[in-house]
Amino acid sequence: MHRLTSSLSLFALLTFTQVTPTAETGATDTVTGNTPDVIGTAWVKTLRRNDLVAGLFLLTATDQAQVSKQWQKQISRPDAYADLQIDTVLRMAQESNGADQLIAMTAPYLGNIEPQALAKQIIDVAGILTMAAGSQPANATNATSTGLDYAGLRDWLKDLAAWVPKAGLTDQTKTKLAMTHIVNAINLSGLHSAAEIRAMPLPVLLSRLGPALPKIKEALAVFDVQVDAMLDSMTFKLTNASAQEALIAITFTSLDKPRAVALKLVQKDGSWELASGNDNPLTGLSQLVMMALLMQGMENTTPTPPPVAPVDDGAL
C-alpha cells in the first residue's frame, strides 16, 4: 500500500526536537541522552501511540513555556467567524447523520479538487527540481552532506503526482467513509464548543486530541495514506556529531519506496535546531516554491494581444 508523507513534515519534526525533559515536566517517557537521533526516535514513538502530551514534554522547559505563551496569545483573540465554524462542525459531528452534514458543508471545497490538474502542478514543481538537481555536485546528497536533496525530492514529487489521480480524492464513497472517521475523531475528543477550547491550557487540549488521532489516521488510510506504517519505517542515524553540531540521516518509506533526508542541526539554548543559511533545506526549498508559483502564474495568464494598428487608407 502507498505510504504517503511530506518531506516538509520531516524537517518540522527535527526543527522542534529538544533536549531530555526534566522530572518536573511530568513527561510520560524518559529520554536517555539528548542527541538528535534519540530525540527523533522519541518523537516517532509518541506519534505512533498518539500521545501528544508526551510529545509536548519532549520540548525543553523554555520551549514548552514559549509554545504555551503562543497558545494563550492565540486563544485570547476571539474570532467570531472562526468560532462559529468550529461550533458548527462540533455540533454537526454529534448528529446521527453528522458525516453527511459535514460533506454537504465542505462540498464547495471538495468540488474544487481536480486530481489531474493537481498532479500537473506537482509535476511542474518536479521539473524545476530537476534543473536544481543538475546544478548540485555529484556528492551533494550523501549521508555526510548538508542542504536539500533536490533529486530525492524530485523523485518523491513524481511519485506523489502519480498517486494523486489514483487516490480517489473525489470518490464519494471514500469521502463518506473518511468523513465518518473524522466525525468519530471529533466525538472521541469530547470537545463541544470553541469557547471550551479557548478555556483549555495547551496540555489539556492535547490530551483531548490524542484519543482522536487514531480515527484521523483511519480517515487518511481511506486514501491509502498509512501514517503508522511510515512512522514504523523511520530511522535516525548520526553521521557526524559534536557538542554544538550534528548531521543526521533520516530514512523512511513513502509511496512504497525508501527515502532519505540528511539534515544539519545546531544546538542553541539547549535545543537542536536546523542550521541556518545554505545548510537549512528550507532556504532552498522556499526559493524553489516561489519560482514554481511564479511560473505557474505565468502559464495561467492569457497574454493580451497588442492592439491592431490603424490602417491609413487615405480616408478622412
Side-chain angles (χ1 to χ4, degrees):
M1 292 186 293
H2 290 306
R3 297 169 183 177
L4 177 66
T5 183
S6 166
S7 297
L8 290 178
S9 67
L10 295 174
F11 300 149
L13 174 67
L14 267 295
T15 301
F16 296 105
T17 53
Q18 313 292 332
V19 301
T20 308
T22 60
E24 290 82 0
T25 64
T28 57
D29 278 320
T30 300
V31 182
T32 56
N34 63 346
T35 55
D37 54 335
V38 172
I39 300 167
T41 300
W43 267 93
V44 169
K45 282 179 59 180
T46 62
L47 293 175
R48 182 64 176 84
R49 68 171 186 262
N50 311 302
D51 192 346
L52 297 179
V53 177
L56 175 66
F57 287 138
L58 286 174
L59 301 175
T60 61
T62 299
D63 286 325
Q64 287 180 50
Q66 180 64 24
V67 170
S68 294
K69 181 180 178 180
Q70 290 298 321
W71 169 245
Q72 289 298 324
K73 181 178 180 181
Q74 181 66 31
I75 63 178
S76 65
R77 296 180 297 184
D79 183 327
Y81 179 71
D83 286 0
L84 176 61
Q85 289 183 310
I86 293 172
D87 288 341
T88 301
V89 169
L90 294 178
R91 185 181 67 255
M92 286 181 175
Q94 298 175 52
E95 301 292 336
S96 59
N97 62 340
D100 291 326
Q101 290 195 50
L102 288 177
I103 289 175
M105 179 181 178
T106 57
Y109 307 100
L110 297 176
N112 289 329
I113 298 177
E114 299 181 12
Q116 294 294 343
L118 179 58
K120 182 184 181 303
Q121 292 175 342
I122 296 172
I123 286 294
D124 290 343
V125 177
I128 295 176
L129 288 171
T130 297
M131 294 185 290
S135 65
Q136 282 187 311
N139 65 343
T141 60
N142 60 34
T144 59
S145 66
T146 59
L148 185 64
D149 177 4
Y150 295 120
L153 182 54
R154 173 204 60 200
D155 293 343
W156 182 82
L157 286 176
K158 287 183 176 180
D159 292 335
L160 179 62
W163 169 84
V164 167
K166 299 182 296 184
L169 299 178
T170 58
D171 184 287
Q172 293 184 357
T173 301
K174 286 190 172 184
T175 300
K176 175 64 177 294
L177 179 57
M179 196 63 76
T180 300
H181 290 312
I182 295 297
V183 166
N184 290 335
I186 293 172
N187 289 327
L188 282 171
S189 73
L191 299 172
H192 296 97
S193 69
E196 178 186 18
I197 294 173
R198 289 185 181 280
M200 288 183 177
L202 185 57
V204 175
L205 176 62
L206 294 178
S207 71
R208 300 282 288 273
L209 294 178
L213 273 184
K215 290 300 179 182
I216 293 180
K217 291 177 180 179
E218 289 183 32
L220 292 172
V222 170
F223 302 102
D224 216 2
V225 180
Q226 307 295 335
V227 176
D228 283 342
M230 184 276 294
L231 290 172
D232 290 340
S233 73
M234 293 187 71
T235 65
F236 302 84
K237 181 180 179 181
L238 287 181
T239 58
N240 189 20
S242 67
Q244 298 301 323
E245 295 184 354
L247 188 65
I248 187 169
I250 307 172
T251 61
F252 59 100
T253 299
S254 174
L255 296 170
D256 288 337
K257 294 182 182 179
R259 317 285 176 175
V261 177
L263 299 175
K264 183 176 181 180
L265 306 173
V266 295
Q267 191 164 186
K268 181 180 179 181
D269 299 329
S271 303
W272 287 102
E273 302 176 358
L274 288 171
S276 59
N278 291 333
D279 286 334
N280 188 328
L282 299 181
T283 301
L285 184 60
S286 61
Q287 296 171 349
L288 290 170
V289 169
M290 290 301 297
M291 184 183 300
L293 293 174
L294 178 61
M295 293 182 67
Q296 289 178 359
M298 294 174 63
E299 289 179 0
N300 294 331
T301 302
T302 303
T304 303
V308 178
V311 177
D312 185 2
D313 58 0
L316 295 178

